[in-house]
Amino acid sequence: KSHDGSIPVEVRVLVVGDAAVGKTSLVEMICSTSGFSSGEWKAASQAGQWTCGCAVSLVRECFEADLRSVDVEVELWEVGGTQMYSSARPVFYERLDAVLCVYDVSNMKSYHNLVAWLFELCTSAWAPSLR
């Protein structure tokens, strides 16, 4: 519960992209700038290792909306970008509120592969408007 006793809003964000484009680093940066010390958000993966399956990180933010504070719990679901995990990824595509597509600016192939990621998402999960 939030400081005023209300239940915080929950948002689930899927983080997708090819392997080694910086998804884990981006999630770690988001979590470390959200009021938590970097020691509290120790990364599960070490430098040079890829995410196996799915990694979940939580961030709590407080926003002002309609002249009141609203606590939002953001779940960042980062899925492994290698082809090896492609058959398991759709398990994590349900009940999403947003998708964050990540690519490496020095790797144009990772940018062009975002089309394949979006196709995989569209063919594996119901759109939020259809739920």
Side-chain angles (χ1 to χ4, degrees):
K1 292 200 174 205
S2 66
H3 59 275
D4 65 354
S6 64
I7 297 174
V9 175
E10 294 178 357
V11 177
R12 181 177 290 183
V13 179
L14 182 70
V15 183
V16 299
D18 287 354
V21 296
K23 296 182 301 291
T24 301
S25 296
L26 180 63
V27 169
E28 288 174 358
M29 184 190 69
I30 292 168
C31 291
S32 69
T33 60
S34 297
F36 296 98
S37 69
S38 58
E40 292 180 58
W41 288 102
K42 192 68 176 168
S45 63
Q46 300 299 319
Q49 294 183 345
W50 294 338
T51 302
C52 299
C54 181
V56 179
S57 299
L58 301 173
V59 178
R60 179 175 268 188
E61 292 286 344
C62 185
F63 295 96
E64 296 294 323
D66 298 327
L67 301 174
R68 64 184 180 95
S69 294
V70 177
D71 282 332
V72 179
E73 287 184 355
V74 181
E75 298 176 4
L76 296 161
W77 290 62
E78 176 197 345
V79 293
T82 62
Q83 189 64 31
M84 180 183 349
Y85 302 114
S86 62
S87 61
R89 286 193 295 252
V91 172
F92 307 109
Y93 293 170
E94 297 300 321
R95 300 184 305 126
L96 297 175
D97 297 301
V99 177
L100 183 58
C101 298
V102 181
Y103 69 97
D104 180 348
V105 296
S106 67
N107 178 354
M108 287 306 294
K109 184 176 180 184
S110 70
Y111 173 75
H112 293 293
N113 285 345
L114 292 179
V115 173
W117 281 99
L118 293 173
F119 180 79
E120 181 178 309
L121 280 163
C122 291
T123 58
S124 300
W126 288 94
S129 61
L130 299 176
R131 285 187 243 152

